Amino acid sequence: MLLALLAGGVSPAADAAPACEALQVRTEAGRSVLHRVRLPDFAGTRVGVLPHRVNALGYSPEQGWAYGIAEGFDDGGHVVALRPEDPPLDLGPVIAGRGDTPWNVLDHPTAGAVRGNRWYVGEGDRLYTVDIDPGSPTYRHVLSSIALEERHGPFSLDDFDVGPDGFLRGVAQTYTGTPAVVRLDLSTGVAEPVLWLPTLPPDSYGSVVIDPDGALHFTANRGGGVYRVEADGQLVELAELAPTSSSDAAGCLRRTPPPPPRPPPPLPPPPPTGASEPAPPTTSSVPPEPAEVPSPTASPTRAPVPPPVEPTPESEKRSPAVEPEEAEVDEAEHSTEEKRRWAVAGLVLLIGGSAAVRRLGRG
């Protein structure tokens, strides 16, 4: 649909709900100022002045950071990470070259866009691919570069963004002097106009952001006009900004999800260990099984226990009863002693009788 030619003029902006928010850098007299802008009307909020001139913004929704190239360093352009609520982070120079030689080739880029963990940076007539995966050993390294093949004559893209179809898109003034939407193939470097915009004034166009609906937003740097090209090719003027020497934008910014619910408070610590308390009885919905009752035939027969005998007066006068085994031992010892006495007595009588008989025989 972007191949359709615009025959009419610029339409005024229609009331629409905000599509997304983006970060925009406006540079004038060597000073870059960071803004947070709301699409589609591009109403902006000034965030602050950056310490260096910054261009080639690209936003990573997965990381929540925008990447840009800061100029003014002796070792070439530095990678800076931006977001509205934090100061800019200087991550060091872009690294390109062979082996461990940090040969920097990105000094004055003009365009940038992020897709996944790849940051596409345009400088002059070349397109560079930079690794922005923080966990990669080639983080901040230039992975590849290709020469742009500009069809329909030379032109320069002051900014671009990745469209829903995976192509880079921006607005450029062609060799004929007529601005056009230009599509850039990431794999081949072929850049060609796909939609002519004859009602736009000759200018350099930056701050390109493509919203989720596929509409392309951009800014005329010197003229200050802010425009949107709908997915059906209709051109809409949104606002007027102060003139700048260059501008760049990246979005849509990720909406911060609500914080997770607070976890419940921790349970109180258990009491100090001491004597173990009996465990409370547990209730069960299953009734316990009845205990087995032994059969009368299976149990052995035991003699009944006799009832206790009441004591009589005579038994109370007697000595306490002893165990049967002890009584038998006493009786045995008593009978043996009696026999010994009788044997001795018999022996004495025998000896005495013999002596008496001898005396009688002598007399």
Side-chain angles (χ1 to χ4, degrees):
M1 286 184 288
L2 287 176
L3 294 175
L5 297 180
L6 292 181
V10 178
S11 302
D15 294 335
C20 69
E21 288 186 323
L23 288 179
Q24 184 189 36
V25 173
R26 303 173 191 172
T27 302
E28 180 63 28
R31 187 183 72 164
S32 294
V33 181
L34 183 64
H35 295 260
R36 183 170 187 162
V37 297
R38 184 181 71 244
L39 277 62
D41 57 1
F42 243 74
T45 301
R46 188 177 186 270
V47 177
V49 180
L50 299 176
H52 298 88
R53 180 186 175 104
V54 177
N55 211 327
L57 290 187
Y59 180 72
S60 169
E62 291 81 9
Q63 300 180 26
W65 290 90
Y67 288 86
I69 301 291
E71 304 176 10
F73 296 91
D74 295 337
D75 53 354
H78 279 212
V79 179
V80 292
L82 303 171
R83 60 181 179 181
E85 60 271 16
D86 294 305
L89 297 178
D90 185 354
L91 303 179
V94 183
I95 302 173
R98 299 177 181 178
D100 296 329
T101 304
W103 171 56
N104 193 301
V105 294
L106 295 174
D107 291 326
H108 305 286
T110 58
V114 168
R115 181 184 183 189
N117 287 322
R118 297 294 179 261
W119 179 22
Y120 301 99
V121 180
E123 181 175 357
D125 59 352
R126 299 193 69 85
L127 178 68
Y128 299 88
T129 302
V130 181
D131 184 3
I132 57 168
D133 181 2
S136 171
T138 57
Y139 184 52
R140 301 187 350 258
H141 285 239
V142 174
L143 302 179
S144 63
S145 68
I146 55 175
L148 297 182
E149 182 184 343
E150 300 169 342
R151 299 182 180 178
H152 301 280
F155 49 84
S156 63
L157 284 171
D158 285 342
D159 197 16
F160 45 59
D161 197 3
V162 181
D165 55 2
F167 288 91
L168 295 175
R169 278 185 167 81
V171 177
Q173 185 173 320
T174 64
Y175 73 100
T176 61
T178 303
V181 175
V182 177
R183 182 181 64 191
L184 174 58
D185 192 328
L186 292 171
S187 58
T188 64
V190 173
E192 56 183 345
V194 293
L195 177 66
W196 298 95
L197 303 173
T199 57
L200 286 180
D203 206 331
S204 62
Y205 294 92
S207 298
V208 176
V209 177
I210 299 177
D211 66 22
D213 297 329
L216 188 149
H217 303 74
F218 59 98
T219 300
N221 293 328
R222 293 187 298 270
V226 181
Y227 305 91
R228 182 177 74 244
V229 176
E230 304 287 356
D232 60 0
Q234 181 183 4
L235 179 65
V236 179
E237 184 174 6
L238 301 174
E240 290 283 342
L241 301 178
T244 59
S245 59
S246 68
S247 68
D248 209 310
C252 297
L253 302 182
R254 183 180 63 186
R255 291 185 173 90
T256 304
R262 290 186 177 183
L267 296 176
T273 57
S276 60
E277 298 181 358
T282 58
T283 58
S284 174
S285 59
V286 180
E289 296 183 2
E292 274 190 39
V293 179
S295 172
T297 58
S299 60
T301 305
R302 285 193 274 181
V305 179
V309 180
E310 294 291 334
T312 60
E314 294 182 358
S315 63
E316 290 179 356
K317 295 178 182 179
R318 295 176 186 172
S319 59
V322 295
E323 297 293 330
E325 292 181 0
E326 295 180 0
E328 291 178 1
V329 171
D330 290 343
E331 290 179 2
E333 291 179 354
H334 180 72
S335 60
T336 303
E337 189 65 27
E338 288 285 338
K339 290 177 181 179
R340 285 176 182 174
R341 289 174 185 164
W342 282 109
V344 172
L347 182 61
V348 171
L349 291 176
L350 180 61
I351 294 172
S354 298
V357 170
R358 284 195 298 271
R359 283 192 301 266
L360 288 176
R362 288 175 187 156

